[in-house]
């Protein structure tokens, strides 16, 4: 790998590139999915390749190939430079990367139990035990469970002298129970919906989440939802569980703070942002209770790494402090536009894609309320919502609507009956301004969004969000069925 | 060692790799899928090219069957050593699991005689260079800048080959190309969108795409607010394509039907929407996205899904067909696929109107260019939510009178389709997440807008 990397950088410089970098990546992904007591899918996937990114005549070019050979390195280097020169035909302002990044280092995800060494039999045993526990509920038509684990070994090197080797390991999974009646279908998931509970960690995460131990509960809840009353519409006090609050952070904080979005670089697909560069340090994003940090160093976070895909070391950046917006997520190119250095958020999902600004772990810091019960105790009339079901937000990240799998009435400080098809809507800064209580660290945990879409060609990034439980006043709630 | 010359494997090269995999495998049944891709994309924002990429890959996917146990392994290394490893891994994965009684086996070779589709491959697209794309993009950016606007978008050109072979005699090979150009043109308080898709990149009129988006952005200045509620709407093809894509995802595949979560479950033969609506999947139609075989090598068949509002069928792969005791319709996706089959080249029948004629007689209506961030709220009743974007206008007395701010909608797809009162005779080919859709623009009565958007942070 090292010889190929050096050959690529030399070739690019020889061809006239002002800057070049190469990522050589080998990824291994394994998964197992179970449905209704049978194995629905079991796979072992490997992919390796390299991508060369160059700046030539002030514009970007990128080319990638799966053929790891010297002749292909030469061809791809030439192609990357040609692509950059074509980009320069429609360039208005040359790219400025700011100060060189010359770090060298190595990072490896700390892992207690290597997921690749856990026998498949053990993995199947966990999923089948969860399946059996769900099978006892008659209304549940579909029982699903999945486990996945992956390892990405990558080398990053640049013509500035950066040289970084990393091994990133991820593990996780989840279960889902779908209950069906003649006119309805209701799903409950654990620990999170769409099987999306993963982290940069070993198999110890799977043991920790105890899928079999939670399976019967979610099956019973799915069945109960079929006959539950719909969530009533109105403006009320809303309490969110930590997993839904994590997604709220993702959609209404994580995305608008991506500086490339602010500069219009995602306008053609994912959208822009309501934030402007001048708002850093001045804009009130939420109540005084709202503190958000982007932290790529949190142990086990899905957005945790050692170096980003520009060789910038992982770091923690304050995003919101006491409700005031502080910093964007940046790359070398975008940071230099605002007179800063990159805070290390560029990642590509594979060797075949270019790095983009991606959330790392964008975390809502905990408050001081010691438990969910304590948070609810002050609520005379409200709704508690749990586990995301649907999500939609406008292209500037202002107007949103979310639905969750389950809600419960809150009456006189206590959780009451289950409610079906709950939704809530809001406008981002008004919603965060209505935050009047957050759970403390005992209610806080890391959650994952392994399906964050951005870019053209599209990339599904793995990002993390820590969040506690939270309470918001005067929120419009309702039901997805009319 | 087998080498696969760039850029994409020929039928013969792919057959050599596939035959070697089948030779190496000791499984009861073996399937190998080779997917070769050569994709290039020029992306632009703020009136300049800011990302420009070119990627080549060859994925080799092996499905090993031991009794009724199925294991899948992939590699993108065609060396003999890597082929041995991928075959061993697939077999190991298969051996480690219990039998699945629902699995009936791989498709057999008797049915494969699917003719190749040479018209699906355009040499011009395959050789379209970064310079060619930059030229088109530069023109759009220049026109936008001249109008005081900023253009962003993407021009993608790509070629792909699909080769499927199995130990039961299946063999199929297909090469295809596609090109898509889309742009969002923005002003301080307005935006416009346009998109085109074609097999031949030379058939895409970049200037026309730019003009369409620029025109909307110019006409969209100083948008007014309107109240949400039930409105007559004219949905352009972009918005209709989105609704069809979600309808497909929710319930036009057999898996969702068999699980009971699809709106089609138990309703084949029943009316599910208005009789102006006919939807089918057909990859042999050259006006769509052509492909002769699916990812199991089964010849793709035309499937009439909804015919004049009546549910007729869902699409199958061999697994769902086995459970339903029918034939696969040739809609398998790459294994392992726990989500089941999906349509890949959807068509919706057009009507008898020109696009401007959809305005006729509309006392008060909203013209929608496209939707944004659509998501499913209730799959059983096909309720989706999303927002309008990039060209939303108020119609009064049969004329577009002014631009309006974007709105959030919450609507049942089939309910809305039941209230279609007119469709354009012309249809447009557009890309979707699963392939492509060719559909008309439509007029719908009583479409529900559930909220407004606030374009200003307080």
């Amino acid at each position: 790998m090292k010889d190929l990397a050096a050959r690529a950088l030399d070739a690019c410089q020889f061809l006239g590139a002002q800057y070049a970098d190469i990522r050589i990546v080998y990824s291994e992904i394994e998964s197992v999915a179970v449905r209704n007591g049978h194995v629905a899918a079991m796979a072992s996937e490997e992919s390796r390749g390299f991508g060369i990114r160059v700046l030539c005549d002030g514009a970007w070019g990128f080319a990638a190939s799966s053929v790891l050979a010297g002749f292909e390195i030469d061809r791809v280097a030439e192609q990357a430079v040609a692509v950059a020169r074509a980009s320069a035909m429609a360039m208005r302002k040359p790219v400025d990367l700011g100060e060189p990044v010359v770090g060298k280092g190595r990072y490896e995800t700390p892992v207690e139990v290597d997921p690749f060494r856990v026998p498949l039999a053990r993995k199947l045993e966990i999923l089948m035990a969860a399946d059996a526990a769900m099978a006892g509920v008659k209304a549940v038509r579909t029982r699903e469970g999945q486990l996945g684990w992956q390892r990405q070994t990558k080398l990053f090197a640049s013509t500035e002298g950066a040289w970084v080797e990393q091994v990133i390991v991820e593990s996780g999974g989840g279960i889902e129970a779908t209950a069906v009646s003649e006119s309805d279908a209701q799903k409950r998931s654990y620990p999170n919906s769409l099987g999306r509970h993963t982290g940069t960690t070993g198999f110890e995460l799977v043991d920790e989440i105890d899928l079999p131990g939670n399976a019967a509960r979610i099956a019973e809840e799915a069945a109960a939802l079929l006959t539950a009353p719909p969530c009533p519409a109105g403006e009320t006090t809303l309490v969110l569980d930590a997993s839904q609050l994590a997604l709220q952070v993702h959609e209404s904080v994580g995305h608008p703070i991506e500086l490339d979005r602010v500069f219009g670089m995602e306008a053609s697909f994912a959208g822009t942002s309501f934030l402007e560069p001048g708002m850093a340090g001045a804009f009130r994003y939420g109540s005084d209770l709202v503190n958000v940090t982007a932290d790529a160093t949190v142990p086990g976070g899905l957005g945790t790494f050692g170096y980003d895909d520009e060789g910038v070391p992982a770091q923690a950046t304050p995003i919101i402090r006491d409700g005031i917006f502080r910093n964007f997520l940046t790359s070398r190119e975008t940071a230099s536009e605002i007179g800063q250095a990159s805070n290390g958020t560029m990642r590509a999902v594979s060797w075949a894609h270019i790095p983009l600004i991606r959330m790392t772990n964008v975390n809502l810091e905990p408050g001081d309320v010691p438990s969910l019960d304590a948070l609810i105790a002050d609520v005379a009339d409200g709704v508690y919502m749990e586990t995301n079901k649907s999500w939609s937000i406008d292209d500037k990240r202002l107007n949103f609507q979310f639905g969750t799998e389950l809600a419960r009435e809150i009456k006189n400080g206590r959780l009451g009956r289950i409610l079906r098809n709950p939704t809530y809507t809001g406008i981002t800064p008004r919603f965060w301004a209505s935050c009047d209580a957050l759970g403390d660290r005992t209610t806080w945990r890391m959650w994952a969004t392994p399906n964050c879409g951005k870019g053209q060609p599209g990339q599904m990034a793995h990002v993390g969000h820590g969040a506690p439980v939270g309470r918001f006043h005067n929120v419009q709630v309702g039901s997805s069925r009319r | 060692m087998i080498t696969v010359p760039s850029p994409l494997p020929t039928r013969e090269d792919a057959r050599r790799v596939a035959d070697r995999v089948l030779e190496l495998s000791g499984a009861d049944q073996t399937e190998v899928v080779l997917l070769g891709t050569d994709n290039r994309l020029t992306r632009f924002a703020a009136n300049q090219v800011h990302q420009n990429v070119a990627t080549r890959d060859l994925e080799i996917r092996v499905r090993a069957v031991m009794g009724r146990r199925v294991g899948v392994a992939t590699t993108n290394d065609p060396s003999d050593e890597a082929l041995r490893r991928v075959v061993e891994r697939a077999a190991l994965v298969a051996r480690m699991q219990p039998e699945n009684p629902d699995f009936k086996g791989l498709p057999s070779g008797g049915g494969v005689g699917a003719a190749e589709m040479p018209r699906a491959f355009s040499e011009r697209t395959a050789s379209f260079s970064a310079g060619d794309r930059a030229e088109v993009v530069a023109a759009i950016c220049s026109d936008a800048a001249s109008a005081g606007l900023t253009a962003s978008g993407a021009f993608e050109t790509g070629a792909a080959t699909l080769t499927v072979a199995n130990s039961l005699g299946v063999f199929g090979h297909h090469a295809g190309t596609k090109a898509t150009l889309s742009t969002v043109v923005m002003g301080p308080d307005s935006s416009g969108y346009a998109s085109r898709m074609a097999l031949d990149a030379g058939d895409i009129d970049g200037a026309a795409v730019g003009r369409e988006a620029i025109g909307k952005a110019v006409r969209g200045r100083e948008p007014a607010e309107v109240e949400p509620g039930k409105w007559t709407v004219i949905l352009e093809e972009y918005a209709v394509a989105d609704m069809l894509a979600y309808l497909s995802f929710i319930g036009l595949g057999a898996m969702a039907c068999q699980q009971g979560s699809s709106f089609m479950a138990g309703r084949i033969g029943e009316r599910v929407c208005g009789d102006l609506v006919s939807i089918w999947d057909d990859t042999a139609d050259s006006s769509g996205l052509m492909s002769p075989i699916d990812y199991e090598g089964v010849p793709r068949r035309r499937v009439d899904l909804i015919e004049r509002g009546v549910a007729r069928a869902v699409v199958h792969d061999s697994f769902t067909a086995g459970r339903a005791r029918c034939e696969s319709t040739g809609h398998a996706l790459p294994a392992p696929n726990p989500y089941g089959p999906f349509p890949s080249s959807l068509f919706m029948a057009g009507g008898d109107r020109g696009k401007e004629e959809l305005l006729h007689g509309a006392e008060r209506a909203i013209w929608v260019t496209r939707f944004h961030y659509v998501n499913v709220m209730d799959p059983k009743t096909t309720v989706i939510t999303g927002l309008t974007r990039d060209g939303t206008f108020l119609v009064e007395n049969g004329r577009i009178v002014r631009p309006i701010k974007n709105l959030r909608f919450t609507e049942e797809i089939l309910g809305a389709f039941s209230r279609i009162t007119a469709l354009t005779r012309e249809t447009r080919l557009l890309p979707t997440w699963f392939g492509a859709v060719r559909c008309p623009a439509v007029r719908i009565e009583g479409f529900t807008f559930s909220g407004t958007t606030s374009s200003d942070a307080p």
Side-chain angles (χ1 to χ4, degrees):
Chain A
M1 283 212 300
K2 295 181 182 179
D3 290 343
L4 290 176
R7 181 168 176 161
L9 299 178
D10 288 344
C12 293
Q13 286 185 302
F14 179 77
L15 290 165
Q18 287 89 56
Y19 168 89
D21 63 41
I22 180 170
R23 278 175 299 111
I24 304 176
V25 184
Y26 173 56
S27 54
E28 308 156 85
I29 303 173
E30 295 185 358
S31 61
V32 54
V34 161
R35 178 184 292 129
N36 291 349
H38 301 301
V39 173
M42 195 182 267
S44 166
E45 301 176 72
E46 288 183 359
S47 174
R48 90 274 196 266
F50 68 95
I52 296 175
R53 196 175 65 141
V54 303
L55 266 181
C56 212
D57 301 339
W60 284 117
F62 176 84
S65 169
S66 59
V67 179
L68 282 169
F71 67 85
E72 186 72 348
I73 288 276
D74 296 341
R75 183 195 72 77
V76 170
E78 200 172 316
Q79 186 176 33
V81 169
V83 168
R85 292 215 157 103
S87 301
M89 285 167 57
M91 178 185 72
R92 294 193 167 231
K93 187 179 164 190
V95 173
D96 177 5
L97 289 179
E99 292 299 308
V101 169
V102 298
K104 294 175 173 48
R106 181 177 167 74
Y107 171 84
E108 196 161 334
T109 300
V111 159
E112 287 175 26
V113 180
D114 182 348
F116 287 86
R117 292 188 178 279
V118 175
L120 271 171
R122 166 84 183 118
K123 290 157 178 165
L124 272 176
E125 185 190 323
I126 291 169
L127 291 178
M128 291 301 188
D131 183 272
M134 290 190 277
V137 180
K138 191 178 165 191
V140 171
R141 173 89 77 92
T142 306
R143 315 180 299 274
E144 295 171 290
Q146 53 181 295
L147 293 175
W149 52 101
Q150 66 179 60
R151 177 166 47 221
Q152 196 179 72
T153 304
K154 55 184 178 179
L155 166 68
F156 170 86
S158 77
T159 48
E160 290 174 344
W163 190 279
V164 170
E165 297 174 32
Q166 300 193 81
V167 180
I168 310 289
V169 176
E170 294 177 15
S171 304
I175 51 175
E176 294 177 351
T178 304
V180 176
S181 68
E182 200 172 296
S183 57
D184 198 8
Q186 293 288 339
K187 180 179 288 192
R188 280 295 282 137
S189 313
Y190 173 81
N192 207 345
S193 50
L194 304 175
R196 55 185 179 198
H197 194 71
T198 57
T200 53
T201 178
F203 201 76
E204 58 271 19
L205 175 67
V206 177
D207 289 329
E208 178 191 309
I209 60 180
D210 186 17
L211 298 179
N214 286 273
R217 173 181 61 79
I218 66 164
E220 285 155 11
E221 286 174 352
L225 281 166
L226 289 175
T227 54
C231 181
E235 202 173 87
T236 191
T237 297
L238 175 64
V239 175
L240 295 177
D241 85 318
S243 71
Q244 173 59 27
L245 194 44
L247 189 76
Q248 180 76 50
V249 169
H250 179 90
E251 298 289 356
S252 66
V253 179
H255 273 306
I257 64 175
E258 294 164 350
L259 192 54
D260 55 352
R261 287 184 71 111
V262 174
F263 289 149
M265 293 158 85
E266 278 293 318
S268 60
F269 178 61
T272 58
S273 173
F274 66 90
L275 292 170
E276 295 166 8
M279 287 175 166
F283 178 68
R284 177 158 284 282
Y285 212 109
S287 73
D288 290 350
L289 299 179
V290 178
N291 293 280
V292 175
T293 308
D295 189 351
T297 68
V298 177
L302 192 58
T304 296
F305 48 81
Y307 301 81
D308 81 348
D309 285 341
E310 290 191 309
V312 177
Q315 54 199 267
T317 303
I319 301 299
I320 300 172
R321 284 292 177 266
D322 303 322
I324 302 297
F325 174 62
R326 295 282 174 211
N327 288 293
F328 294 97
L329 302 179
T330 62
S331 63
R332 293 182 62 188
E333 178 184 353
T334 55
S336 79
E337 294 261 354
I338 57 173
Q340 293 181 8
S342 164
N343 54 24
T345 72
M346 287 281 268
R347 284 189 292 159
V349 296
S350 80
W351 55 266
H353 295 86
I354 53 166
L356 301 173
I357 292 175
R358 308 313 300 256
M359 296 171 232
T360 54
N361 301 298
V362 177
N363 306 327
L364 177 63
E365 303 293 352
D368 59 6
V369 180
S371 65
L372 175 62
D373 287 344
L375 204 78
I376 289 171
D378 293 339
V379 180
D381 195 37
V383 177
Y384 165 75
M385 294 191 189
E386 183 177 309
T387 313
N388 180 259
K389 183 175 165 183
S390 73
W391 61 101
S392 177
I393 190 165
D394 73 17
D395 55 310
K396 288 189 184 296
R397 299 280 151 175
L398 280 171
N399 176 303
F400 62 79
Q401 177 165 296
F402 293 112
T404 63
E405 290 182 350
L406 174 146
R408 286 185 184 274
E409 263 184 345
I410 303 173
K411 292 284 187 204
N412 302 317
R414 289 175 175 272
L415 287 177
R417 59 180 181 162
I418 284 178
L419 301 170
R420 183 163 47 117
N421 302 329
T423 65
Y424 69 99
T425 66
I427 303 292
T428 293
R430 294 178 203 162
F431 177 79
W432 286 109
S434 77
C435 178
D436 61 21
L438 289 171
D440 70 6
R441 193 152 287 276
T442 63
T443 73
W444 192 96
R445 72 185 288 190
M446 283 300 305
W447 297 91
T449 302
N451 59 337
C452 177
K454 185 175 175 178
Q456 290 169 301
Q459 300 190 40
M460 286 290 188
H462 294 188
V463 306
H465 301 286
V469 294
R471 189 174 74 201
F472 302 81
H473 56 262
N474 299 119
V475 179
Q476 186 67 37
V477 304
S479 175
S480 62
R481 277 216 193 175
R482 295 169 296 159
Chain B
M1 174 178 147
I2 295 172
T3 58
V4 179
S6 298
L8 291 169
T10 62
R11 182 188 175 95
E12 291 68 36
D13 292 333
R15 181 137 216 172
R16 273 198 296 276
V17 175
D19 284 347
R20 183 60 178 151
V21 169
L22 296 178
E23 183 187 350
L24 288 170
S25 175
D28 297 339
Q29 297 178 358
T30 306
E31 171 190 88
V32 54
V33 176
L34 277 72
L35 182 59
T37 52
D38 185 359
N39 287 334
R40 303 142 191 218
L41 186 147
T42 298
R43 199 174 189 208
F44 53 107
N47 290 338
Q48 66 176 2
V49 172
H50 71 304
Q51 292 163 5
N52 210 343
V53 304
T55 304
R56 283 185 190 166
D57 195 11
L58 175 66
E59 181 189 89
I60 301 157
R61 184 172 291 264
V62 176
R63 185 157 56 150
V65 178
M66 308 284 210
R68 290 179 188 265
R69 298 169 294 175
V70 181
V72 175
T74 71
T75 183
N76 62 350
D77 179 355
S79 69
D80 214 60
E81 181 196 337
L83 294 183
R84 280 182 198 280
R85 269 203 340 262
V86 73
V87 161
E88 281 165 13
R89 277 191 292 121
L92 175 68
V93 169
R95 275 196 290 270
M96 294 303 296
Q97 56 189 277
E99 301 229 328
N100 184 347
D102 287 338
F103 181 73
K104 307 294 185 222
L106 296 178
S108 66
V112 179
E116 288 193 33
M117 294 178 172
R119 289 173 63 194
F121 191 92
S122 159
E123 285 293 344
R124 183 154 56 172
T125 303
S127 59
F128 217 70
S129 70
D132 294 331
R133 289 191 303 279
E135 204 174 301
V136 171
V137 163
I140 293 174
C141 292
S142 173
D143 289 347
S146 299
L149 302 165
T150 57
S152 62
F155 193 179
E156 183 170 19
T157 57
T161 57
L162 171 65
T163 311
V164 184
N166 75 22
S167 56
L168 304 181
V170 162
F171 180 79
H173 178 82
H174 171 65
T177 54
K178 66 179 175 181
T180 59
L181 171 64
S182 64
T183 185
V184 173
V185 174
M186 300 193 298
D189 62 355
S190 68
S191 60
Y193 173 83
S195 173
R196 297 289 187 276
M197 179 182 187
L199 290 176
D200 184 342
D203 289 343
I204 292 181
D205 184 345
V209 173
R211 275 196 304 274
E212 181 181 331
I214 290 168
K216 293 244 173 85
V218 168
R219 293 165 69 188
R221 288 172 172 148
E222 297 182 19
E225 284 211 26
V226 297
E227 287 301 307
K230 290 194 186 295
W231 283 79
T232 298
V233 294
I234 289 93
L235 301 183
E236 290 208 55
E237 299 89 335
Y238 308 119
V240 177
D242 235 357
M243 295 175 81
L244 287 168
Y246 276 91
L247 196 70
S248 173
F249 174 65
I250 290 170
L252 293 179
M255 185 65 78
C257 212
Q258 291 172 358
Q259 289 177 345
S261 60
S262 163
F263 55 89
M264 298 283 261
R267 299 194 70 193
I268 301 296
E270 290 182 18
R271 177 165 297 284
V272 294
C273 63
D275 61 10
L276 290 179
V277 176
S278 291
I279 301 167
W280 66 97
D281 187 88
D282 187 359
T283 59
D285 189 326
S286 60
S287 69
L289 195 63
M290 289 190 284
S291 175
I293 55 171
D294 71 3
Y295 287 86
E296 292 183 310
V298 174
R300 291 184 180 272
R301 285 197 247 150
R302 171 177 168 141
V303 178
D304 289 286
L305 301 155
I306 295 175
E307 189 178 17
R308 288 192 290 278
V310 177
R312 290 294 179 212
V314 292
V315 298
H316 280 277
D317 57 18
S318 67
F319 182 79
T320 58
R323 287 163 69 173
R325 299 186 188 189
C326 63
E327 297 287 317
S328 169
T329 58
H331 287 84
L333 293 178
N337 173 27
Y339 306 106
F342 288 101
S344 62
S345 184
L346 266 184
F347 289 78
M348 181 174 182
D352 59 2
R353 309 285 175 93
K355 198 181 261 189
E356 297 297 319
E357 290 175 299
L358 295 179
L359 295 166
H360 292 179
E363 274 188 34
R364 202 166 151 79
I366 292 177
W367 180 288
V368 174
T369 298
R370 71 162 175 156
F371 294 138
H372 173 73
Y373 222 140
V374 177
N375 211 318
V376 178
M377 298 187 72
D378 187 337
K380 197 80 169 169
T381 56
T382 70
V383 175
I384 57 173
T385 187
L387 300 112
T388 64
R389 186 180 165 180
D390 300 329
T392 313
F393 300 93
L394 178 66
V395 175
E396 286 180 339
N397 299 317
R399 287 176 51 246
I400 290 177
V401 294
R402 67 173 312 153
I404 58 175
K405 291 183 180 177
N406 289 312
L407 297 157
R408 172 170 290 285
F409 73 90
T410 304
E411 185 56 85
E412 294 175 7
I413 302 173
L414 292 178
F417 281 1
S418 296
R419 299 189 303 276
I420 289 177
T421 53
L423 309 92
T424 55
R425 74 181 72 83
E426 294 289 324
T427 57
R428 180 169 280 173
L429 180 68
L430 294 165
T432 67
W433 63 272
F434 55 80
V437 167
R438 178 173 279 281
C439 64
V442 304
R443 175 168 155 169
I444 295 175
E445 305 300 325
F447 192 87
T448 305
F449 290 106
S450 49
T452 57
T453 61
S454 174
S455 57
D456 302 313

